[in-house]
Amino acid sequence: ATSVKSYEYVILGGGNAAGYAARQFVEKHGLSGHKLAVISRESVAPYERPALSKAYLTANPPTRLPAFHTCVAGGGAPQTPDWYAKNGIDLLLSTEIVDCDLNSKCLTAKDGSKYGYGKLLIATGSDALHLDELGMQGAHLGGIHYLREIAEADKLYEAMKACAGKHAVVVGGGYIGLECTAALVINGVRVTMVFPEPHVMARLFTPEIAAHYERIYAQKGVNFIKGTVVDSFADENGSGQVKYVRLKNGPVLEADLVVVGVGAKPRTTLLEGALAMEARGIKVDGHLRTSHADVFGAGDVITFPLKMYGNRMARVEHVGHARQSAMHAVDVMMGATTEPYDYLPFFYSRVFHLSWKFWGDTPAQAKTIVVGEMNPKLVAVWIDQDGHVVGTFIESGTEHDENKLKELARTRPKANVARLEEAAAANDVDGFLN
Ligand code: FDA
Ligand code: NAD
């Protein structure tokens, strides 16, 4: 029989959450001596995934590993494989787990090797939603790109360089759509964006905020086709390479390159039937414990209670949550805290010279007040039905502005609507902020 290599702690996954969890084990809890394994399907040590749609594609020269291994965000040194070795952590790369037996506490890899654990942290993240999984005709063709892991970023980078002066179709108007469009434009590719909503970033931006970003994209030559989706892709003369993108309402676009960003799906398959699920994610309690003893979760894959919103259950696909939930889960696993995880939702993006941040919540009935024309600042505040500030947004803020807006989203004071509207009418961003 295959022997089982056993660890006190195993982190399943090698992404953002895994990197921050490993650091927490070492730096806060002094773990050493091969008690911890990080098991990842990827061939490289955990890295800051957000870089893949930013400096990896746009910097000159482009950022490459080891520069953005975790945990460089916030100024640490990159955790290269040497760091894991030096700290007595077994980093098992190119190792895909295909079976999780929670009763015998044993994970089985694709090659048959087995790993036992005392406590398990599930950090399998999410994957891009692929159009061929939805049965779309032509979605298997070459030249159709997704972006989740580093190998995909390498392929996209090469394809983009080969397409300078040519035309790309970007499918999706969310984070990937906007960040990859910016990267393509910076690399001299002409872009048409296609998405079903009336404006970009519909899951967060109001029409007014979106209009400012769309204006800047349009000035850079980006063409928008809104309110429709792709029906199928086709090649030319059986080349196997995408050439035509047919839209649902009829028109056919020509494309030398396609980038698809139509959302993500949490990687839960391994645990289905074994753990309680909610809202497509692995359900955890306020201490990041799953429904099975000694199994914890962090990052994109979990559905967790948002303490500050009355424990409303949520799944969050953002790096701030991956980092914080991972560190908190490790503290719980080590018996170092009895506090629940208390996350203030935080989202951000960077494209071209722009950089926005958002904190808090956007309830459906909220009123939004927007001030500024992005020259360079724009601020927005979401006010709930009871008149409290619940969400805050800023483009091109200073550290002082950002701290102030983060604090407002966290403390949710009663809004002085008259004063805010006055500042909005006068276009007085600094008055609005002070
Ligand atoms: P992540 O997806 O990072 O890691 C999961 C890991 O588990 C991977 O290494 C995977 O291979 C591994 N794995 C899965 N199943 C496995 C198995 N069965 N066996 C072994 N290993 C397995 N967020 C943000 O707030 N700001 C930003 O600017 C960006 N930018 C951004 C750009 C791009 C291109 C992407 C794809 C995503 C972002 N994000 C982001 C989102 C952010 O990167 C994301 O929320 C975190 O990476 C989530 O971290 P996790 O560790 O949960 O999953
Ligand atoms: P997303 O949810 O941000 O956007 C999906 C977009 O897909 C929607 O805005 C919509 O326009 C579009 N869409 C849906 N179905 C479509 C269809 N059939 N045809 C055309 N468009 C369609 O997801 P994403 O942009 O794909 O990002 C993937 C993951 O990566 C997410 O988890 C996201 O949070 C993460 N990510 C985050 C950042 C960031 O936080 N700055 C950056 C990149 C990626």
Side-chain angles (χ1 to χ4, degrees), residues 49-80:
R49 196 166 308 286
L52 294 185
S53 52
K54 303 178 186 67
Y56 203 88
L57 302 177
T58 59
N60 190 12
T63 302
R64 289 292 178 266
L65 290 176
F68 63 102
H69 279 300
T70 63
C71 300
V72 294
Q79 288 168 200
T80 57

Side-chain angles (χ1 to χ4, degrees), residues 301-371:
V301 78
I302 57 167
T303 302
F304 66 99
L306 279 167
K307 179 171 180 267
M308 62 178 296
Y309 302 128
N311 287 326
R312 182 179 89 207
M313 295 299 280
R315 215 170 50 70
V316 174
E317 297 169 351
H318 290 276
V319 76
H321 159 65
R323 294 170 182 153
Q324 286 173 47
S325 60
M327 294 189 288
H328 196 89
V330 170
D331 290 350
V332 175
M333 291 166 87
M334 299 301 287
T337 183
T338 52
E339 289 297 309
Y341 177 50
D342 186 10
Y343 172 69
L344 169 68
F346 166 57
F347 315 135
Y348 72 89
S349 182
R350 290 194 300 274
V351 289
F352 301 120
H353 58 289
L354 305 167
S355 166
W356 62 257
K357 292 185 178 170
F358 170 87
W359 298 267
D361 201 14
T362 57
Q365 305 306 321
K367 170 189 171 80
T368 315
I369 300 175
V370 180
V371 191

Side-chain angles (χ1 to χ4, degrees), residues 50 53-54 126-129 131 134 136 147-148 170-179 194-197 199-203 228-230 260-265 300 315-319 346-350 356:
S53 52
K54 303 178 186 67
S126 51
D127 206 351
L129 206 61
L131 292 173
L134 306 178
M136 186 180 289
L147 183 55
R148 184 79 210 175
V170 171
V171 184
Y175 288 97
I176 290 282
L178 283 168
E179 292 183 9
V194 180
F195 49 85
E197 296 90 356
H199 60 78
V200 294
M201 198 57 81
R203 69 168 159 151
T228 189
V229 293
V230 173
V260 181
V262 295
K265 52 170 195 294
D300 278 18
R315 215 170 50 70
V316 174
E317 297 169 351
H318 290 276
V319 76
F346 166 57
F347 315 135
Y348 72 89
S349 182
R350 290 194 300 274
W356 62 257

Side-chain angles (χ1 to χ4, degrees), residues 40 105 137 154 213 217 223 244 252 296 323 356 361:
S40 176
K105 297 182 130 183
Q137 195 184 336
D154 286 333
Y213 289 90
Y217 274 65
N223 181 28
Y244 303 107
V252 177
F296 299 77
R323 294 170 182 153
W356 62 257
D361 201 14

